[in-house]
Amino acid sequence: MSANGLELAIEKMRTAGVSEAAIEVFSHYYGQLESGATGMIPEDSIEPLSEPPMLADVQIDEEQAREAMAATVIIKLNGGLGTSMGLDKAKNLLQVRDGKTFLDIIAQQVLQARKTYGVQLPLLLMNSFRTQDDTLEALAKYPELAVEGLPLGFVQNQEPKLRADDLTPVEWPADPTLEWCPPGHGDLYTALLGSGVLDALVEKGFRYASVSNGDNLGAVPDARVAGWFASTGAPYAAEVCRRTVNDRKGGHLAVRKADGQLVLRESAQTPKEEMDFFTDEHRHPYFNTNNLWLDLVALKRTLEERRGVLGLPLIRNEKTVDPADSSSPKVIQIESAMGAAIEVFEGATAICVGRDRFLPVKTTNELLLLRSDIYQLDEQGHLVAQAETPAVTLGKQYKLVRDFEQRIPSPPSLVQATSLSVDGDVTFGSDVTVKGDVQVTSAAPARIDDGTVLEGAVTLGE
């Protein structure tokens, strides 16, 4: 290990203009990394979360709900490029349906909620240095979104990728931007503090923040959840959903045996030999949606007490400096998860919500669902399900958005489907209908004709 790796990293961050709050947090994690910390949460240290309150059982009157919304700000994570889907701009600039992007629909949701409740309801986007400019340009069409004294966005911090062999900042002259990475979405709290946005929100009288991923259009502004959170007096809350067999990869909440505190465990924090416990949806029945609620006053006080360092569990992410080049030097990215802050706040809680509040788009499988007739977009900007959501599995030929759109320019009807799997290079014509369980396979490039009704096993290209 290098004796001056931390000093070199700090110098690089200061030269790049990274905030002192972010440097303090990075230094904290560097010390953990250097000491061999892994951030692992063994199964024998936790108990499953078994009986969270249910949103369906919550009773909040309209005035309580409106008062809570009047004190709420909406924060969306908007730092991702969607590189796993072949995108090179802000993922939330991708068109979802009806010619609208994620950002268009988010803006519609916020503006309509303002009208419904007669509140300011500011929208703040946590951008990265790669998404800030494109995002602000895209939102220029909504001048009414801005709230006086508050920005539409603030920029997530950046930190150096560290060489895996000696923990010094990696150098990559071929593309110096690849020498940097975001610190995971746990950087939300540091970025709010260092940007001055947290102080501005508290000074303007906002008390609560509803935080969610920008690609989860189910996380709409919800007065009932806001009213519930305000009524609890809790400093922090997480929305969870009941896990199914399809939810085995996402992080789950659990109760730490040592002190009864709620904690979040991600797959990267689970020992490999214990992954069977992690993926068991019966043992750990509730997953974290990454829809969070924060008491901004409590957050500000806690950050001040801890000098900007919440002390979230370390996530040690091993990659190559160029993600597209497996032969490039191995690096370590120091990360944390924003949902892990649940263990920082005494009295933090959770609530189980319906699946309608969890509609993420991480793959083209999910993109196809949102573009299909399974959902309709109403005047509030809400995606309303028209039928039970079928399981969709598209082959490798559809992984990248450009390839997906070439092969499925017009989404098939899925309202009568229970599942659809496609294995092979298959192009869909227009007005295709999927009924029941359908498995399409093709050993050679093939096309499904316009107006085709697909049922059962379909073999093409023979």
Side-chain angles (χ1 to χ4, degrees):
M1 296 294 177
S2 169
N4 63 340
L6 178 58
E7 288 79 3
L8 291 171
I10 290 174
E11 181 182 357
K12 185 169 185 171
M13 294 172 81
R14 285 192 173 133
T15 300
V18 177
S19 76
E20 287 300 317
I23 291 173
E24 187 78 19
V25 172
F26 176 84
S27 301
H28 165 79
Y29 285 119
Y30 190 98
Q32 289 191 13
L33 186 67
E34 201 170 32
S35 67
T38 63
M40 291 295 173
I41 302 176
E43 184 69 21
D44 63 6
S45 69
I46 56 176
E47 294 281 359
L49 172 66
S50 56
E51 296 182 357
M54 301 288 167
L55 180 60
D57 298 333
V58 167
Q59 299 295 324
I60 299 293
D61 66 42
E62 290 186 10
E63 185 56 27
Q64 278 182 296
R66 198 207 68 80
E67 288 179 0
M69 288 292 273
T72 294
V73 56
I74 303 295
I75 300 177
K76 297 287 185 177
L77 303 191
N78 186 55
L81 295 178
T83 51
S84 64
M85 297 170 70
L87 303 174
D88 59 4
K89 288 188 176 182
K91 179 182 178 181
N92 291 329
L93 294 176
L94 176 66
Q95 285 194 8
V96 182
R97 61 176 302 124
D98 301 348
K100 295 181 178 181
T101 66
F102 286 98
L103 287 179
D104 288 326
I105 295 174
I106 289 169
Q108 181 181 357
Q109 291 174 349
V110 170
L111 293 173
Q112 289 297 323
R114 288 179 182 176
K115 291 180 182 179
T116 299
Y117 299 105
V119 296
Q120 283 189 300
L121 198 66
L123 171 65
L124 292 174
L125 299 166
M126 185 171 80
N127 302 314
S128 68
F129 62 96
R130 294 178 182 271
T131 64
Q132 171 85 343
D133 293 342
D134 287 342
T135 294
L136 294 182
E137 181 181 348
L139 289 179
K141 70 175 82 168
Y142 302 105
E144 67 274 33
L145 265 182
V147 171
E148 185 177 356
L150 294 173
L152 272 178
F154 57 101
V155 180
Q156 184 177 18
N157 292 299
Q158 56 179 341
E159 65 185 18
K161 296 177 183 178
L162 303 173
R163 290 185 61 95
D165 54 3
D166 63 6
L167 298 187
T168 60
V170 71
E171 294 183 4
W172 195 243
D175 184 354
T177 65
L178 292 178
E179 298 174 6
W180 297 88
C181 63
H185 44 61
D187 182 56
L188 167 71
Y189 311 105
T190 310
L192 277 171
L193 178 67
S195 65
V197 169
L198 180 57
D199 285 340
L201 288 170
V202 173
E203 287 171 8
K204 290 181 72 66
F206 292 101
R207 182 66 185 263
Y208 311 114
S210 171
V211 185
S212 58
N213 294 337
D215 65 4
N216 177 14
L217 293 175
V220 301
D222 190 306
R224 186 162 57 142
V225 186
W228 166 81
F229 180 59
S231 72
T232 66
Y236 184 103
E239 295 182 29
V240 299
C241 282
R242 183 171 286 278
R243 291 172 100 188
T244 69
V245 69
N246 297 316
D247 303 312
R248 292 179 169 181
K249 294 182 179 180
H252 66 81
L253 293 191
V255 180
R256 189 165 54 204
K257 289 181 179 179
D259 56 5
Q261 180 71 28
L262 282 174
V263 298
L264 170 66
R265 182 170 69 166
E266 302 280 3
S267 59
Q269 296 170 296
T270 306
K272 290 182 179 179
E273 65 274 15
E274 295 186 351
M275 283 300 294
D276 285 348
F277 294 117
F278 179 88
T279 59
D280 186 343
E281 72 272 21
H282 303 292
R283 181 175 179 84
H284 294 289
Y286 297 99
F287 72 87
N288 176 45
T289 65
N290 235 24
N291 301 346
L292 308 177
W293 290 82
L294 315 175
D295 182 318
L296 295 171
V297 173
L299 175 62
K300 184 174 185 293
R301 181 175 63 249
T302 303
L303 283 168
E304 289 172 348
E305 290 172 352
R306 299 187 176 209
R307 297 178 56 194
V309 181
L310 281 184
L312 307 182
L314 166 73
I315 297 178
R316 185 180 189 272
N317 201 345
E318 297 187 16
K319 293 182 177 287
T320 54
V321 62
D322 183 348
D325 181 1
S326 60
S327 66
S328 61
K330 293 181 179 179
V331 296
I332 295 172
Q333 297 180 189
I334 295 175
E335 299 178 7
S336 62
M338 69 176 185
I342 197 166
E343 72 177 64
V344 172
F345 297 96
E346 185 178 352
T349 187
I351 188 166
C352 183
V353 299
R355 291 300 289 243
D356 58 330
R357 289 192 58 77
F358 185 68
L359 300 173
V361 176
K362 304 301 181 187
T363 67
T364 53
N365 299 337
E366 294 152 339
L367 182 60
L368 176 58
L369 285 168
L370 291 197
R371 287 184 175 180
S372 78
D373 56 358
I374 287 292
Y375 294 98
Q376 293 295 324
L377 192 64
D378 69 12
E379 293 182 355
Q380 302 293 315
H382 298 183
L383 286 162
V384 182
Q386 307 300 301
E388 288 291 322
T389 304
V392 172
T393 306
L394 302 176
K396 62 183 180 181
Q397 294 86 352
Y398 304 84
K399 180 179 180 180
L400 305 182
V401 170
R402 65 174 180 270
D403 297 331
F404 164 80
E405 292 182 335
Q406 286 174 358
R407 290 171 174 81
I408 311 182
S410 177
S413 171
L414 297 176
V415 291
Q416 300 176 72
T418 50
S419 70
L420 170 65
S421 67
V422 184
D423 182 11
D425 186 354
V426 179
T427 298
F428 283 67
S430 60
D431 299 319
V432 173
T433 299
V434 180
K435 290 186 176 182
D437 291 304
V438 173
Q439 306 87 38
V440 179
T441 59
S442 180
R447 185 179 189 277
I448 298 172
D449 292 335
D450 297 353
T452 299
V453 176
L454 298 175
E455 295 184 84
V458 179
T459 303
L460 303 172
E462 292 183 335

